[in-house]
Coordinates of all heavy atoms in Angstrom, one line a residue:
M285 N -11.8 -11.5 -3.2 CA -10.5 -11.4 -2.6 C -9.5 -10.5 -3.4 O -9.5 -10.6 -4.6 CB -9.9 -12.9 -2.6 CG -8.6 -13.0 -1.8 SD -8.8 -12.7 0.0 CE -7.1 -13.0 0.5
L286 N -8.9 -9.7 -2.7 CA -8.0 -8.7 -3.3 C -6.7 -9.4 -3.9 O -6.1 -10.2 -3.2 CB -7.6 -7.7 -2.3 CG -7.5 -6.2 -2.7 CD1 -8.8 -5.7 -3.3 CD2 -7.2 -5.4 -1.5
T287 N -6.3 -9.0 -5.1 CA -5.0 -9.4 -5.5 C -3.9 -8.4 -5.0 O -4.3 -7.3 -4.6 CB -4.9 -9.5 -7.1 OG1 -5.0 -8.2 -7.6 CG2 -6.0 -10.4 -7.6
C288 N -2.6 -8.8 -5.1 CA -1.6 -7.9 -4.7 C -1.6 -6.6 -5.6 O -1.3 -5.5 -5.1 CB -0.2 -8.6 -4.8 SG 0.0 -9.9 -3.7
K289 N -2.0 -6.8 -6.8 CA -2.0 -5.6 -7.7 C -3.1 -4.6 -7.3 O -2.9 -3.4 -7.3 CB -2.2 -6.1 -9.2 CG -2.0 -5.0 -10.2 CD -2.1 -5.6 -11.6 CE -2.3 -4.5 -12.6 NZ -2.6 -5.0 -13.9
D290 N -4.3 -5.2 -7.0 CA -5.4 -4.4 -6.5 C -5.0 -3.6 -5.2 O -5.3 -2.5 -5.1 CB -6.6 -5.3 -6.2 CG -7.2 -5.9 -7.4 OD1 -7.1 -5.3 -8.5 OD2 -7.9 -6.9 -7.3
F291 N -4.3 -4.4 -4.4 CA -3.9 -3.8 -3.1 C -3.0 -2.6 -3.3 O -3.2 -1.6 -2.7 CB -3.1 -4.9 -2.3 CG -2.3 -4.3 -1.2 CD1 -2.8 -4.0 0.0 CD2 -0.9 -4.1 -1.4 CE1 -2.0 -3.4 1.0 CE2 -0.1 -3.5 -0.4 CZ -0.7 -3.2 0.8
L292 N -2.1 -2.7 -4.2 CA -1.2 -1.6 -4.5 C -1.9 -0.4 -5.1 O -1.6 0.8 -4.8 CB -0.1 -2.0 -5.5 CG 1.0 -2.9 -4.9 CD1 1.9 -3.4 -6.0 CD2 1.8 -2.1 -3.9
G293 N -3.0 -0.7 -5.9 CA -3.8 0.4 -6.4 C -4.6 1.1 -5.4 O -4.9 2.3 -5.5
W294 N -4.9 0.4 -4.3 CA -5.8 0.9 -3.3 C -5.1 1.5 -2.1 O -5.7 2.1 -1.3 CB -6.8 -0.1 -2.8 CG -7.9 -0.5 -3.9 CD1 -8.0 0.1 -5.1 CD2 -8.9 -1.4 -3.7 NE1 -9.1 -0.5 -5.7 CE2 -9.6 -1.5 -4.9 CE3 -9.3 -2.3 -2.7 CZ2 -10.7 -2.3 -5.1 CZ3 -10.4 -3.1 -2.9 CH2 -11.1 -3.1 -4.1
L295 N -3.8 1.2 -2.0 CA -3.0 1.5 -0.9 C -3.1 3.0 -0.6 O -3.3 3.4 0.6 CB -1.6 1.0 -1.0 CG -0.7 1.2 0.2 CD1 -1.2 0.5 1.4 CD2 0.7 0.7 -0.1
N296 N -2.9 3.8 -1.6 CA -2.9 5.3 -1.4 C -4.2 5.7 -0.7 O -4.2 6.5 0.2 CB -2.8 6.0 -2.7 CG -1.3 6.4 -3.0 OD1 -0.5 6.2 -2.2 ND2 -1.1 7.1 -4.1
D297 N -5.3 5.3 -1.3 CA -6.6 5.6 -0.8 C -6.8 5.2 0.6 O -7.3 5.9 1.5 CB -7.7 5.0 -1.6 CG -7.9 5.7 -3.0 OD1 -7.3 6.8 -3.2 OD2 -8.5 5.1 -3.9
Y298 N -6.3 4.0 0.9 CA -6.5 3.4 2.2 C -5.7 4.2 3.2 O -6.3 4.5 4.3 CB -5.9 2.0 2.2 CG -6.0 1.2 3.5 CD1 -7.3 0.9 4.0 CD2 -4.9 1.0 4.3 CE1 -7.4 0.2 5.2 CE2 -5.0 0.4 5.5 CZ -6.2 0.0 6.0 OH -6.3 -0.6 7.2
L299 N -4.5 4.6 2.9 CA -3.7 5.4 3.8 C -4.2 6.8 4.0 O -4.0 7.5 5.0 CB -2.3 5.4 3.4 CG -1.5 4.0 3.5 CD1 -0.2 4.1 2.8 CD2 -1.3 3.7 5.0
D300 N -4.9 7.3 2.9 CA -5.5 8.6 3.0 C -6.8 8.6 3.8 O -7.4 9.6 4.1 CB -5.8 9.1 1.6 CG -4.8 10.1 1.1 OD1 -4.0 10.4 1.9 OD2 -5.0 10.5 -0.1
E301 N -7.3 7.4 4.0 CA -8.6 7.2 4.7 C -9.8 7.8 4.0 O -10.8 8.2 4.6 CB -8.5 7.8 6.2 CG -7.6 6.9 7.0 CD -7.3 7.5 8.4 OE1 -8.0 8.5 8.8 OE2 -6.5 6.9 9.1
T302 N -9.6 7.9 2.7 CA -10.7 8.4 1.8 C -11.4 7.3 1.2 O -12.4 7.4 0.5 CB -10.2 9.3 0.7 OG1 -9.2 8.6 -0.1 CG2 -9.6 10.6 1.3
A303 N -10.9 6.1 1.5 CA -11.5 4.9 0.8 C -12.8 4.5 1.4 O -13.1 4.8 2.6 CB -10.5 3.7 1.0
D304 N -13.6 3.8 0.6 CA -14.9 3.2 1.1 C -14.6 2.3 2.2 O -13.5 1.7 2.2 CB -15.6 2.5 0.0 CG -16.0 3.4 -1.1 OD1 -16.1 4.7 -0.9 OD2 -16.3 2.9 -2.2
E305 N -15.6 2.1 3.0 CA -15.5 1.0 4.1 C -15.2 -0.3 3.5 O -14.4 -1.1 4.0 CB -16.8 1.0 4.9 CG -16.9 2.2 5.8 CD -15.8 2.4 6.7 OE1 -15.2 1.5 7.3 OE2 -15.3 3.6 6.9
E306 N -15.8 -0.6 2.3 CA -15.6 -1.9 1.7 C -14.1 -2.1 1.2 O -13.6 -3.1 1.4 CB -16.6 -1.9 0.5 CG -16.4 -3.1 -0.4 CD -16.8 -4.4 0.2 OE1 -17.5 -4.4 1.3 OE2 -16.6 -5.5 -0.4
V307 N -13.6 -1.0 0.7 CA -12.2 -1.0 0.2 C -11.3 -1.2 1.5 O -10.4 -2.1 1.5 CB -11.8 0.3 -0.5 CG1 -10.3 0.4 -0.7 CG2 -12.6 0.4 -1.8
K308 N -11.5 -0.5 2.5 CA -10.7 -0.6 3.7 C -10.8 -2.0 4.3 O -9.7 -2.6 4.7 CB -11.3 0.4 4.8 CG -10.9 1.8 4.5 CD -11.4 2.7 5.7 CE -11.3 4.1 5.4 NZ -11.9 5.0 6.5
A309 N -11.9 -2.6 4.3 CA -12.1 -3.9 4.9 C -11.3 -4.9 4.0 O -10.6 -5.8 4.6 CB -13.6 -4.3 4.9
Q310 N -11.3 -4.8 2.7 CA -10.6 -5.7 1.8 C -9.1 -5.5 1.9 O -8.4 -6.5 1.9 CB -11.1 -5.5 0.4 CG -12.5 -6.0 0.2 CD -12.8 -6.4 -1.2 OE1 -12.1 -7.1 -1.9 NE2 -13.9 -5.9 -1.8
V311 N -8.7 -4.3 2.0 CA -7.2 -4.0 2.1 C -6.7 -4.6 3.4 O -5.7 -5.3 3.5 CB -6.9 -2.5 2.0 CG1 -5.5 -2.2 2.5 CG2 -7.2 -2.0 0.6
K312 N -7.5 -4.4 4.5 CA -7.1 -4.9 5.8 C -7.0 -6.4 5.8 O -6.1 -7.0 6.3 CB -8.2 -4.5 6.8 CG -7.6 -4.0 8.1 CD -8.7 -3.4 9.0 CE -8.4 -2.0 9.5 NZ -9.4 -1.5 10.3
E313 N -8.0 -7.0 5.1 CA -8.0 -8.5 5.0 C -6.8 -9.0 4.3 O -6.1 -10.0 4.6 CB -9.3 -9.0 4.3 CG -9.5 -10.4 4.6 CD -10.5 -11.0 3.6 OE1 -11.5 -10.3 3.3 OE2 -10.4 -12.2 3.3
H314 N -6.4 -8.2 3.1 CA -5.3 -8.7 2.4 C -4.0 -8.6 3.1 O -3.2 -9.5 3.1 CB -5.2 -7.8 1.1 CG -4.2 -8.3 0.1 ND1 -4.4 -9.3 -0.8 CD2 -2.9 -8.0 0.0 CE1 -3.3 -9.5 -1.4 NE2 -2.4 -8.8 -1.1
I315 N -3.8 -7.5 3.8 CA -2.5 -7.4 4.5 C -2.4 -8.3 5.8 O -1.4 -8.5 6.3 CB -2.2 -5.9 5.0 CG1 -3.3 -5.3 5.8 CG2 -1.9 -5.0 3.7 CD1 -3.0 -3.9 6.3
T316 N -3.6 -8.8 6.2 CA -3.6 -9.8 7.3 C -3.1 -11.1 6.7 O -2.5 -11.9 7.4 CB -5.0 -9.9 7.8 OG1 -5.5 -8.6 8.2 CG2 -5.0 -10.9 9.0
N317 N -3.4 -11.4 5.5 CA -3.1 -12.7 4.9 C -1.8 -12.7 4.0 O -1.3 -13.8 3.7 CB -4.3 -13.2 4.0 CG -5.5 -13.4 4.9 OD1 -5.5 -14.1 5.9 ND2 -6.6 -12.8 4.5
C318 N -1.4 -11.5 3.6 CA -0.3 -11.5 2.6 C 0.9 -10.6 3.3 O 0.8 -9.4 3.4 CB -0.7 -10.8 1.3 SG 0.6 -10.7 0.1
V319 N 1.9 -11.4 3.7 CA 2.9 -10.7 4.5 C 3.7 -9.7 3.6 O 4.1 -8.6 4.1 CB 3.9 -11.7 5.2 CG1 4.7 -12.5 4.2 CG2 4.8 -11.0 6.2
N320 N 3.9 -10.0 2.3 CA 4.6 -9.1 1.5 C 3.9 -7.7 1.4 O 4.6 -6.7 1.4 CB 4.7 -9.7 0.0 CG 5.7 -10.9 0.0 OD1 6.6 -11.0 0.9 ND2 5.5 -11.7 -1.0
C321 N 2.6 -7.8 1.2 CA 1.8 -6.6 1.1 C 1.8 -5.8 2.5 O 1.8 -4.6 2.5 CB 0.4 -6.8 0.6 SG 0.5 -7.2 -1.2
W322 N 1.8 -6.6 3.5 CA 1.8 -6.0 4.9 C 3.1 -5.1 5.0 O 3.1 -4.0 5.5 CB 1.7 -7.0 6.0 CG 1.7 -6.3 7.3 CD1 0.6 -5.8 7.9 CD2 2.8 -6.0 8.1 NE1 1.0 -5.2 9.1 CE2 2.3 -5.3 9.2 CE3 4.2 -6.3 8.0 CZ2 3.2 -4.8 10.3 CZ3 5.1 -5.8 9.0 CH2 4.6 -5.1 10.1
V323 N 4.2 -5.7 4.5 CA 5.5 -5.0 4.6 C 5.4 -3.7 3.7 O 5.9 -2.7 4.2 CB 6.7 -5.9 4.1 CG1 8.0 -5.1 3.9 CG2 6.9 -7.0 5.1
V324 N 4.9 -3.8 2.6 CA 4.7 -2.6 1.7 C 3.8 -1.6 2.4 O 4.2 -0.4 2.4 CB 4.1 -3.0 0.3 CG1 3.7 -1.8 -0.5 CG2 5.0 -3.9 -0.5
Y325 N 2.8 -2.1 3.0 CA 1.8 -1.2 3.7 C 2.5 -0.5 4.8 O 2.5 0.8 5.0 CB 0.6 -2.0 4.2 CG -0.1 -1.3 5.3 CD1 -0.9 -0.3 5.2 CD2 0.1 -1.8 6.7 CE1 -1.6 0.3 6.2 CE2 -0.5 -1.2 7.7 CZ -1.4 -0.2 7.5 OH -2.0 0.4 8.6
D326 N 3.3 -1.3 5.6 CA 3.9 -0.7 6.8 C 5.0 0.3 6.4 O 5.1 1.4 7.0 CB 4.5 -1.9 7.6 CG 5.0 -1.5 9.0 OD1 4.1 -0.9 9.7 OD2 6.1 -1.7 9.4
T327 N 5.8 0.0 5.4 CA 6.9 0.8 4.9 C 6.2 2.1 4.4 O 6.8 3.2 4.7 CB 7.6 0.1 3.8 OG1 8.1 -1.1 4.3 CG2 8.8 1.0 3.4
T328 N 5.2 2.0 3.6 CA 4.6 3.2 3.0 C 4.0 4.1 4.1 O 4.2 5.3 4.1 CB 3.5 2.7 2.0 OG1 4.0 1.8 1.1 CG2 2.9 4.0 1.3
K329 N 3.4 3.5 5.0 CA 2.7 4.2 6.1 C 3.8 5.0 6.9 O 3.6 6.2 7.2 CB 2.0 3.3 7.1 CG 1.1 4.0 8.1 CD 0.4 3.0 9.0 CE 1.4 2.4 10.0 NZ 0.7 1.5 10.9
K330 N 4.9 4.3 7.2 CA 6.0 5.0 7.9 C 6.6 6.1 7.1 O 6.9 7.2 7.6 CB 7.1 4.0 8.3 CG 6.6 3.2 9.5 CD 7.6 2.1 9.9 CE 7.1 1.2 11.0 NZ 7.7 -0.1 11.0
T331 N 6.8 5.9 5.8 CA 7.3 6.9 4.9 C 6.4 8.1 4.8 O 6.8 9.2 4.9 CB 7.5 6.3 3.5 OG1 8.3 5.1 3.7 CG2 8.3 7.3 2.6
L332 N 5.1 7.8 4.8 CA 4.1 8.9 4.7 C 4.1 9.7 5.9 O 4.0 11.0 5.9 CB 2.7 8.3 4.4 CG 2.5 7.8 3.0 CD1 1.0 7.3 2.9 CD2 2.6 9.0 2.0
Q333 N 4.4 9.1 7.1 CA 4.4 9.9 8.3 C 5.6 10.8 8.3 O 5.5 11.9 8.8 CB 4.5 8.9 9.5 CG 3.2 8.3 9.8 CD 3.3 7.1 10.8 OE1 4.3 6.6 11.1 NE2 2.1 6.6 11.1
V334 N 6.7 10.4 7.7 CA 7.9 11.3 7.5 C 7.5 12.4 6.6 O 7.9 13.6 6.8 CB 9.1 10.5 7.0 CG1 10.3 11.4 6.7 CG2 9.5 9.4 8.1
Y335 N 6.9 12.1 5.5 CA 6.6 13.1 4.4 C 5.5 14.1 4.8 O 5.5 15.2 4.3 CB 6.2 12.4 3.1 CG 7.4 12.0 2.3 CD1 8.0 10.8 2.4 CD2 7.8 13.0 1.3 CE1 9.0 10.4 1.6 CE2 8.9 12.6 0.5 CZ 9.5 11.3 0.6 OH 10.6 11.0 -0.2
K336 N 4.6 13.7 5.7 CA 3.5 14.5 6.1 C 4.0 15.9 6.6 O 5.0 15.9 7.4 CB 2.6 13.8 7.2 CG 1.4 13.2 6.6 CD 0.6 12.5 7.6 CE -0.5 11.6 7.0 NZ -1.1 10.8 7.9
G337 N 3.3 16.9 6.2 CA 3.7 18.2 6.7 C 4.6 18.9 5.7 O 4.6 20.2 5.6
M338 N 5.3 18.2 4.9 CA 6.1 18.9 3.9 C 5.7 18.6 2.4 O 6.0 19.3 1.5 CB 7.6 18.6 4.1 CG 8.0 17.1 4.2 SD 9.6 17.0 4.8 CE 10.3 15.7 3.8
E339 N 4.9 17.5 2.3 CA 4.5 17.2 0.9 C 3.0 16.7 0.9 O 2.5 16.4 2.0 CB 5.3 16.0 0.4 CG 6.8 16.4 0.2 CD 7.3 15.8 -1.1 OE1 6.6 15.3 -1.9 OE2 8.6 16.0 -1.2
P340 N 2.4 16.8 -0.2 CA 1.0 16.2 -0.2 C 1.0 14.7 0.2 O 2.1 14.1 0.2 CB 0.6 16.3 -1.7 CG 1.5 17.3 -2.3 CD 2.8 17.3 -1.5
K341 N -0.1 14.2 0.7 CA -0.1 12.9 1.3 C 0.0 11.8 0.3 O -0.2 10.6 0.6 CB -1.4 12.8 2.1 CG -1.4 13.5 3.3 CD -2.6 13.1 4.2 CE -3.9 13.6 3.7 NZ -5.0 13.2 4.5
E342 N 0.4 12.1 -0.9 CA 0.5 11.0 -1.9 C 1.9 10.3 -1.8 O 2.9 10.9 -1.4 CB 0.4 11.5 -3.3 CG -1.0 11.3 -3.9 CD -1.2 11.9 -5.2 OE1 -0.3 11.7 -6.1 OE2 -2.2 12.6 -5.5
V343 N 1.9 9.0 -2.1 CA 3.1 8.2 -2.1 C 3.9 8.8 -3.3 O 3.5 8.9 -4.4 CB 2.9 6.8 -2.4 CG1 4.2 6.0 -2.4 CG2 1.9 6.2 -1.3
P344 N 5.2 9.2 -3.0 CA 6.1 9.7 -4.1 C 6.2 8.6 -5.2 O 6.3 7.4 -4.8 CB 7.4 9.9 -3.3 CG 7.1 10.1 -1.9 CD 5.9 9.2 -1.7
E345 N 6.3 9.1 -6.4 CA 6.3 8.1 -7.5 C 7.5 7.2 -7.4 O 7.4 6.0 -7.7 CB 6.3 9.0 -8.8 CG 5.7 8.2 -10.0 CD 4.4 7.5 -9.7 OE1 3.5 8.2 -9.2 OE2 4.3 6.3 -10.0
A346 N 8.7 7.8 -7.1 CA 9.9 7.0 -7.0 C 9.7 5.9 -6.0 O 10.1 4.7 -6.2 CB 11.1 7.8 -6.6
L347 N 9.2 6.2 -4.8 CA 8.9 5.2 -3.8 C 8.0 4.1 -4.3 O 8.2 2.9 -4.0 CB 8.4 5.8 -2.5 CG 8.0 4.9 -1.4 CD1 9.2 4.3 -0.8 CD2 7.2 5.6 -0.3
R348 N 6.9 4.5 -4.9 CA 5.9 3.6 -5.4 C 6.6 2.6 -6.4 O 6.3 1.4 -6.3 CB 4.8 4.4 -6.1 CG 3.6 3.7 -6.3 CD 2.6 4.6 -7.0 NE 1.5 3.8 -7.5 CZ 0.4 3.5 -6.7 NH1 0.4 3.8 -5.5 NH2 -0.6 2.8 -7.3
A349 N 7.4 3.1 -7.3 CA 8.1 2.3 -8.2 C 9.0 1.3 -7.5 O 9.1 0.1 -7.9 CB 8.9 3.1 -9.2
K350 N 9.7 1.8 -6.5 CA 10.6 0.9 -5.7 C 9.8 -0.2 -5.0 O 10.3 -1.3 -5.0 CB 11.3 1.8 -4.7 CG 12.8 1.6 -4.5 CD 13.3 2.7 -3.7 CE 14.3 2.2 -2.7 NZ 14.9 3.2 -1.8
L351 N 8.7 0.2 -4.4 CA 7.9 -0.8 -3.7 C 7.4 -1.9 -4.7 O 7.4 -3.1 -4.4 CB 6.7 -0.1 -3.0 CG 7.1 0.7 -1.8 CD1 5.9 1.5 -1.3 CD2 7.6 -0.1 -0.7
L352 N 6.9 -1.4 -5.8 CA 6.4 -2.3 -6.9 C 7.5 -3.3 -7.3 O 7.2 -4.5 -7.4 CB 6.0 -1.5 -8.1 CG 4.5 -1.1 -8.1 CD1 4.3 -0.2 -9.3 CD2 3.6 -2.3 -8.3
E353 N 8.7 -2.8 -7.4 CA 9.8 -3.6 -7.9 C 10.1 -4.7 -6.8 O 10.3 -5.8 -7.1 CB 11.0 -2.8 -8.1 CG 12.1 -3.4 -8.9 CD 13.4 -2.6 -8.9 OE1 13.3 -1.4 -9.0 OE2 14.4 -3.3 -8.7
A354 N 10.2 -4.2 -5.5 CA 10.5 -5.1 -4.4 C 9.4 -6.2 -4.3 O 9.7 -7.3 -4.1 CB 10.5 -4.3 -3.1
L355 N 8.1 -5.8 -4.5 CA 7.0 -6.7 -4.4 C 7.1 -7.7 -5.5 O 6.8 -8.9 -5.3 CB 5.7 -5.9 -4.4 CG 4.5 -6.8 -4.1 CD1 4.5 -7.3 -2.7 CD2 3.2 -6.0 -4.3
S356 N 7.4 -7.2 -6.7 CA 7.5 -8.2 -7.9 C 8.5 -9.3 -7.6 O 8.3 -10.4 -7.9 CB 7.8 -7.5 -9.2 OG 7.3 -6.2 -9.2
K357 N 9.6 -8.8 -7.1 CA 10.7 -9.8 -6.8 C 10.2 -10.8 -5.8 O 10.4 -12.0 -6.0 CB 11.9 -9.0 -6.3 CG 12.8 -8.5 -7.4 CD 14.0 -7.8 -6.9 CE 14.7 -7.0 -8.0 NZ 15.6 -6.0 -7.4
K358 N 9.6 -10.3 -4.7 CA 9.2 -11.2 -3.6 C 8.1 -12.2 -4.1 O 8.1 -13.4 -3.8 CB 8.6 -10.4 -2.5 CG 9.7 -9.9 -1.6 CD 9.2 -9.2 -0.4 CE 10.3 -8.6 0.4 NZ 9.8 -7.8 1.5
C359 N 7.2 -11.7 -4.9 CA 6.1 -12.5 -5.5 C 6.6 -13.4 -6.6 O 5.9 -14.4 -7.0 CB 5.0 -11.7 -6.0 SG 4.1 -10.9 -4.6
G360 N 7.7 -13.1 -7.2 CA 8.3 -13.9 -8.2 C 7.5 -13.7 -9.6 O 7.7 -14.5 -10.5
K361 N 6.8 -12.6 -9.6 CA 6.1 -12.3 -10.9 C 5.8 -10.8 -10.9 O 5.9 -10.2 -9.9 CB 4.7 -13.1 -11.0 CG 3.8 -12.7 -9.8 CD 2.5 -13.5 -9.9 CE 1.6 -13.1 -8.7 NZ 0.5 -13.9 -8.5
A362 N 5.5 -10.3 -12.1 CA 5.3 -8.9 -12.3 C 4.0 -8.5 -11.7 O 3.0 -9.2 -11.9 CB 5.4 -8.6 -13.8
V363 N 4.0 -7.4 -11.1 CA 2.8 -6.7 -10.6 C 2.8 -5.3 -11.1 O 3.9 -4.7 -11.3 CB 2.6 -6.8 -9.1 CG1 2.1 -8.1 -8.7 CG2 3.9 -6.4 -8.4
G364 N 1.6 -4.7 -11.1 CA 1.5 -3.2 -11.5 C 1.7 -2.9 -12.9 O 2.0 -3.7 -13.7
Ligands
ZN468 ZN1 -0.4 -9.2 -1.5

């Protein structure tokens, strides 16, 4: 079972679709069961769609930090 921290580490790969099937399956399972991470996933995906075409497909560092912070607050503990 994926932890929220693992999820964040794999999110980039997952959205890039370069991840292994195993990784994809686990990420999918995690966001099905963890609403906080689903929100992070959804937000990141939408942001990436905006960024696509003008920047590399990586999550901007500032956004990543922001998401991590938001997630830590929601989870009530430090992640990342
Ligand atoms: Zn989670």
Side-chain angles (χ1 to χ4, degrees):
M285 187 69 174
L286 217 59
T287 65
C288 294
K289 194 179 164 185
D290 292 334
F291 162 81
L292 286 170
W294 289 359
L295 183 58
N296 263 3
D297 287 345
Y298 181 71
L299 290 168
D300 256 357
E301 290 173 10
T302 55
D304 295 343
E305 288 304 316
E306 174 70 10
V307 171
K308 286 186 192 174
Q310 290 203 50
V311 169
K312 224 173 232 176
E313 197 196 329
H314 188 85
I315 57 178
T316 304
N317 296 307
C318 180
V319 70
N320 288 339
C321 287
W322 183 83
V323 169
V324 172
Y325 158 77
D326 194 54
T327 307
T328 307
K329 191 179 74 177
K330 282 175 184 157
T331 307
L332 285 179
Q333 281 165 356
V334 173
Y335 273 92
K336 258 180 196 171
M338 51 193 221
E339 296 218 9
K341 284 192 288 178
E342 261 178 46
V343 179
E345 205 47 53
L347 173 70
R348 197 181 168 81
K350 223 169 140 183
L351 290 171
L352 269 171
E353 197 193 315
L355 188 66
S356 322
K357 274 180 194 163
K358 281 186 182 170
C359 290
K361 61 183 179 191
V363 283

